Amino acid sequence: MKILVCITHVPDTTSKISFKDNNTQFDTSGVQFIIGPYDDYALARAVELKDATGGSVTVLNVGEATTEPTIRKALAIGADDAIRVNAEPTDAFFVAQQIAHYAKEGAYDLILMGRESIDYNGGAVHGMVGELLGMPSVSPVMKLEFDGNNAKMDREIEGGKETLELSLPFVAGCQEPIAEWKIPNMRGIMSARTKPLNVVEAVDSNGKTKVNGYEMPPAKGEVKMIDADNVEELVKLLKNEAKVL
Amino acid sequence: MSILVFVESADGIIKKSSLEAVAYAAALAKVQGTEVNAVAMGAIDNEELAKVGNYGVTRALHVANEKLNKGVIQAYASVLAQVMEKEGATTLILATSSLGNPVAARLAVKIDASLATNVTDLPETSGEFTVTRSIYTGKAFAKTVMNGEKKIIAIKKNAIELSESDEQANVEAFDAQLDDADFAAKITATEKAEGDVLLPEAEIVVSGGRGMKGPENWSMLEELAKSLGAATGCSKPVSDMDWRPHHEHVGQTGVKVSPNLYIAVGISGAIQHLAGVNSSKVIVVVNKDADAPFFKAADYGIVGDAFEVVPKITEAVKALNN
Ligand SMILES: Cc1cc2nc3c(=O)[nH]c(=O)nc-3n(C[C@H](O)[C@H](O)[C@H](O)COP(=O)(O)OP(=O)(O)OC[C@H]3O[C@@H](n4cnc5c(N)ncnc54)[C@H](O)[C@@H]3O)c2cc1C
Ligand SMILES: Nc1ncnc2c1ncn2[C@@H]1O[C@H](COP(=O)(O)O)[C@@H](O)[C@H]1O
């Protein structure tokens, strides 16, 4: 199976988010970047599938040169090679067109992504790529098993899950517990240095959205502490002050 | 140039989040001075669908093909494209959901529309058409300009205040062409918690963490939830250890909730957990450790042992209900 895994390069989940230049630019100072946690699940499952049935895993990122350490980490985790589409990922449709173009060129059997990026939170790129390539797309997938070319998967729905059957090729947006995150070992890290990371140019495309500026949520007020022996007070406050009961 | 709103139902009842989408669509239509219609698919009664009238949309289309009783992503996208085309709709409104997002993404490509998901309020339309999106998992917002004539807007829960009238919508059948290729992904089974309040839809959520010690102690939280008409949630380790099903896991890598009231019991308040709850209106934290980070994100806090405090809260709520 030839697998393509699309990864994002996003701030660590513990990062403090802030903006600069009059709230028009994300402030990267002091921010650690990681593989998107959902993409990391997709990658872990891809490596497991390769280990079980053979084939290859290619990772793809649409991003500028600063994303390369993140891509190398994916190679250390077990991907065989990587593609970086050299462009700033400004819009979901723009990103989807890049992925669709290079996915078609590589004729992959299976395209795995995360259910959503944790910076943009669009939950859209996998569906767009599926439509662009004329392939089914399923998300969020929490279990993915194969019997030859036929997949059996669980998709999470509100309050439960549904089981689907589908044959290759298709696109899936992944989430836990599809696999456990993999931590690169020393051998992986060494070999990642020499694995191919091909930088390719972006294909012509127009984005359909544009960000005009950022805002922060209003600061939270002080917490009001209530004595553990006086919980009636809590219920009163919730009813009369917060008005949520 | 009309607006269409896609209405999702669960077990034949319109989802709360979809009613919000209906109210949003009606409000947008008013601003733009355009017509607005609703569309639903699969199993739903006319009487139930007519309720979209309560929220300002007086004509509803029903695509009543039983192949659409389950949420088949590709088929839903194709049907919505047909409805938009036939009705001359250029804007589609829907709720952000596990079905809504993947459907909207395919549809956006199909009809060449601009897509914004996780939208938190009505657009500014005086200059460029600009919506506010929740990004960085609730830690920030992006003012997003949507280009082009066609637009798809998936709204986040609580994006609009609901107010009800007793107006009913007229329901009409819509005959859509279904393509077998759209049913390549076969849904063979559905597993769903019966009768419970759906977590992403809930007005109130009672959530438990590792401080609950074990799955056998959840009945305490369920009882509190029941007295409040709330859904139950949990932290990631709790679902990792299989104390609770995965669809209850709240946070960065789980369900993002935005209820009016979030009650966290025995959860430390790690930043990844907070990412899933930071758009809640009011947060209550019960934790035996006064230094638990969750208190910094809370509106009300009680330092105490969950096993003593929670039953007392349940009692006080029951007393209030009576
Ligand atoms: C990339 C990434 C993504 C993650 N995503 C998520 C996510 O989506 N959701 C999530 O929840 N976590 C997530 N995590 C994990 C997160 O970092 C924390 O480990 C987790 O939230 C801790 O869960 P907890 O609060 O239940 O447990 P703990 O941190 O162990 O806290 C238990 C709390 O219970 C209190 N307690 C103990 N006994 C009692 C008692 N009798 N009465 C009252 N209080 C008591 C303790 O004081 C403590 O504060 C993620 C981590 C990473 C790295
Ligand atoms: N710039 C990018 N490069 C590669 N893959 C991406 C990029 N942006 C998004 N994706 C993939 O698409 C998924 C969904 O992203 P989104 O639609 O932004 O929530 C992510 O989890 C990734 O797998």
Side-chain angles (χ1 to χ4, degrees):
Chain A
M1 204 177 340
K2 236 186 129 184
I3 309 175
L4 180 70
V5 181
C6 301
I7 61 165
T8 53
H9 161 85
V10 292
D12 180 304
T13 52
T14 59
S15 306
K16 200 172 164 313
I17 303 299
S18 59
F19 301 94
K20 57 180 189 185
D21 298 345
N22 201 15
N23 276 340
T24 57
Q25 285 293 322
F26 178 70
D27 188 354
T28 56
S29 56
V31 172
Q32 277 277 103
F33 283 85
I34 57 167
I35 301 173
Y38 293 112
D39 315 344
D40 221 356
Y41 285 121
L43 176 62
R45 187 65 190 133
V47 171
E48 284 175 5
L49 288 169
K50 180 187 81 169
D51 288 349
T53 62
S56 63
V57 175
T58 300
V59 288
L60 183 152
N61 168 259
V62 180
E64 295 175 313
T66 46
T67 71
E68 289 197 2
T70 303
I71 301 176
R72 288 279 172 212
K73 185 170 170 217
L75 293 170
I77 286 171
D80 302 291
D81 57 0
I83 301 170
R84 181 171 68 80
V85 181
N86 187 27
E88 192 191 345
T90 47
D91 167 75
F93 185 63
F94 171 84
V95 169
Q97 282 183 309
Q98 308 307 323
I99 295 174
H101 176 85
Y102 288 102
K104 198 168 192 177
E105 202 172 87
Y108 298 95
D109 304 305
L110 176 65
I111 304 174
L112 296 183
M113 305 195 194
R115 79 174 276 173
E116 66 177 36
S117 56
I118 67 161
D119 50 357
Y120 193 76
N121 299 125
V125 170
H126 32 72
M128 288 178 170
V129 169
E131 187 68 31
L132 285 167
L133 294 174
M135 285 181 193
S137 58
V138 185
S139 175
V141 175
M142 52 197 292
K143 188 174 162 199
L144 176 62
E145 304 287 346
F146 280 91
D147 181 2
N149 280 344
N150 300 319
K152 200 169 168 182
M153 60 189 113
D154 286 346
R155 186 177 90 89
E156 187 159 274
I157 56 175
E158 282 78 14
K161 61 182 180 193
E162 61 189 23
T163 304
L164 293 110
E165 286 177 15
L166 181 57
S167 35
L168 292 172
F170 61 85
V171 184
C174 305
Q175 70 166 40
E176 62 172 26
I178 195 164
E180 301 250 357
W181 286 322
K182 292 196 189 318
I183 297 158
N185 57 28
M186 211 49 209
R187 234 182 83 220
I189 294 167
M190 297 303 287
S191 69
R193 292 185 188 158
T194 53
K195 284 179 180 173
L197 192 172
N198 303 307
V199 180
V200 297
E201 287 314 309
V203 294
D204 238 2
S205 146
N206 286 323
K208 299 204 153 280
T209 59
K210 174 184 85 190
V211 173
N212 236 354
Y214 299 96
E215 278 174 11
M216 296 302 288
K220 203 89 192 158
E222 275 286 292
V223 54
K224 204 175 249 187
M225 298 306 291
I226 293 140
D227 201 274
D229 295 324
N230 193 13
V231 300
E232 295 78 16
E233 177 65 16
L234 171 71
V235 174
K236 262 188 223 149
L237 287 168
L238 290 177
K239 183 173 170 62
N240 301 324
E241 185 179 80
K243 300 194 189 344
V244 290
L245 293 185
Chain B
M1 218 208 91
S2 68
I3 297 173
L4 186 72
V5 51
F6 169 53
V7 174
E8 269 187 72
S9 59
D11 305 319
I13 307 290
I14 300 175
K15 286 184 171 180
K16 175 90 192 305
S17 52
S18 284
L19 293 177
E20 292 180 351
V22 168
Y24 184 101
L28 181 59
K30 210 170 196 177
V31 175
Q32 299 194 316
T34 54
E35 195 190 317
V36 54
N37 298 296
V39 61
M41 298 187 211
I44 180 168
D45 291 345
N46 279 358
E47 197 186 329
E48 175 66 16
L49 186 50
K51 285 188 188 151
V52 299
N54 297 354
Y55 302 94
V57 175
T58 51
R59 181 165 165 266
L61 305 168
H62 184 205
V63 192
N65 193 306
E66 71 171 37
K67 288 176 90 177
L68 300 172
N69 285 0
K70 286 182 178 147
V72 187
I73 294 166
Q74 278 173 280
Y76 272 43
S78 296
V79 172
L80 285 173
Q82 289 173 42
V83 179
M84 287 185 78
E85 164 91 56
K86 183 99 188 292
E87 293 292 318
T90 48
T91 302
L92 179 78
I93 309 295
L94 73 166
T96 290
S97 77
S98 71
L99 182 65
N101 287 28
V103 169
R106 294 196 74 107
L107 181 64
V109 171
K110 232 182 238 303
I111 65 169
D112 196 23
S114 156
L115 169 69
T117 58
N118 258 340
V119 170
T120 58
D121 56 20
L122 283 164
E124 291 161 23
T125 51
S126 48
E128 289 176 303
F129 190 100
T130 310
V131 293
T132 305
R133 300 187 61 248
S134 166
I135 58 166
Y136 291 105
T137 323
K139 290 183 202 166
F141 298 99
K143 293 280 180 198
T144 305
V145 175
M146 301 179 74
N147 299 322
E149 195 200 4
K150 291 186 181 160
K151 298 176 180 73
I152 303 176
I153 302 175
I155 62 167
K156 195 172 157 145
K157 206 181 139 41
N158 273 333
I160 193 158
E161 209 60 55
L162 281 184
S163 67
E164 231 174 291
S165 74
D166 39 18
E167 185 114 17
Q168 301 288 307
N170 288 321
V171 178
E172 294 170 24
F174 185 97
D175 203 14
Q177 298 298 311
L178 299 184
D179 180 351
D180 279 347
D182 285 342
F183 292 87
K186 287 192 186 55
I187 302 172
T188 55
T190 307
E191 234 179 80
K192 225 158 122 189
E194 283 293 324
D196 291 347
V197 186
L198 293 179
L199 179 59
E201 300 269 307
E203 300 289 316
I204 304 180
V205 176
V206 176
S207 211
R210 199 141 58 176
M212 291 305 296
K213 308 282 191 277
E216 66 281 6
N217 297 322
W218 242 260
S219 55
M220 200 168 79
L221 295 182
E222 280 164 347
E223 191 151 342
L224 174 59
K226 208 169 135 208
S227 73
L228 292 164
T232 51
C234 65
S235 66
K236 176 170 153 68
V238 165
S239 77
D240 285 350
M241 292 181 295
D242 270 335
W243 293 1
R244 299 299 294 172
H246 184 266
H247 63 257
E248 289 194 7
H249 148 205
V250 170
Q252 177 93 55
T253 48
V255 180
K256 281 88 187 164
V257 296
S258 34
N260 290 331
L261 175 59
Y262 187 80
I263 304 180
V265 183
I267 304 177
S268 57
I271 193 157
Q272 297 93 354
H273 186 81
L274 298 182
V277 307
N278 51 18
S279 16
S280 309
K281 272 197 190 130
V282 174
I283 295 178
V284 172
V285 168
V286 178
N287 197 303
K288 70 170 187 193
D289 174 8
D291 294 326
F294 217 146
F295 285 117
K296 290 206 180 71
D299 299 280
Y300 300 100
I302 295 184
V303 177
D305 183 350
F307 297 87
E308 286 166 24
V309 174
V310 172
K312 283 196 209 157
I313 303 179
T314 309
E315 238 172 79
V317 171
K318 281 186 180 159
L320 181 79
N321 289 346
N322 284 329

